Amino acid sequence: MTILAWTIIILLFIAAFAGLVYPIIPAVVCIFAGFIVYGLFFNFGDLPWWFWLIEILLTVLIFGADAISNWIGVKKFGGTNAGVWGSTIGLLIGPFVIPFAGILLGPFIGAVVAEWIVSRKDFLTSCKIGFGSLIGFLTSVVTKGIIQVIMIVIFVIAV
């Protein structure tokens, strides 16, 4: 039973990292599911209050990092809220429309189209803003990946 539990926990943690590049996979939920599986198979008492507090704070940080990175990436390159929304929509739709490359092209195309059509910016400026959204997305992936590693390390320390 121990091997089964740890296999499930590790698979959930791996799924969380897959969620970094496929936003349809709820990365933080997978990490917390790993914690819950541990508690169900072993003992929730092994995970002290400080563990849960730190993990919840890191979860809030992940959501904040995701939103802020995208917003800063678009705004830094002269984008508007339309570009932020276009980038976000492109991030969600891109991987389904263009497998593999859609994760990078989706936010870019979404921001470009939104700025070009909604904000009436010229195409070259819209492409620059799309590049900013791509930079914001990549920054977000790296930041969230680091935080997820920290969350898992804290779990290992607590156990």
Side-chain angles (χ1 to χ4, degrees):
M1 219 40 152
T2 301
I3 293 172
L4 175 64
W6 282 109
T7 301
I8 294 170
I9 292 167
I10 290 169
L11 288 174
L12 285 166
F13 289 167
I14 290 170
F17 286 99
L20 290 173
V21 291
Y22 279 103
I24 197 69
I25 299 172
V28 174
V29 172
C30 290
I31 289 178
F32 269 89
F35 303 157
I36 300 298
V37 167
Y38 177 84
L40 292 173
F41 274 89
F42 300 104
N43 184 2
F44 281 105
D46 292 343
L47 301 172
W49 67 269
W50 58 265
F51 165 80
W52 293 107
L53 178 66
I54 292 171
E55 296 297 348
I56 289 169
L57 291 174
L58 289 173
T59 299
V60 170
L61 185 61
I62 282 179
F63 287 121
D66 198 19
I68 291 170
S69 292
N70 186 32
W71 184 78
I72 289 174
V74 170
K75 294 290 186 173
K76 183 126 179 124
F77 285 78
T80 64
N81 286 337
V84 173
W85 279 103
S87 174
T88 302
I89 292 167
L91 178 63
L92 295 173
I93 295 173
F96 297 108
V97 176
I98 310 166
F100 303 113
I103 194 69
L104 296 176
L105 292 176
F108 175 80
I109 293 170
V112 169
V113 169
E115 290 292 345
W116 195 31
I117 293 173
V118 176
S119 297
R120 304 272 187 217
K121 297 202 176 187
D122 64 275
F123 186 70
L124 190 58
T125 302
S126 297
C127 286
K128 182 177 134 184
I129 294 165
F131 179 72
S133 77
L134 185 60
I135 297 296
F137 168 71
L138 294 174
T139 302
S140 171
V141 168
V142 171
T143 303
K144 291 187 304 185
I146 291 168
I147 295 170
Q148 286 182 188
V149 167
I150 292 169
M151 291 175 78
I152 293 169
V153 167
I154 290 170
F155 170 73
V156 170
I157 290 169
V159 172

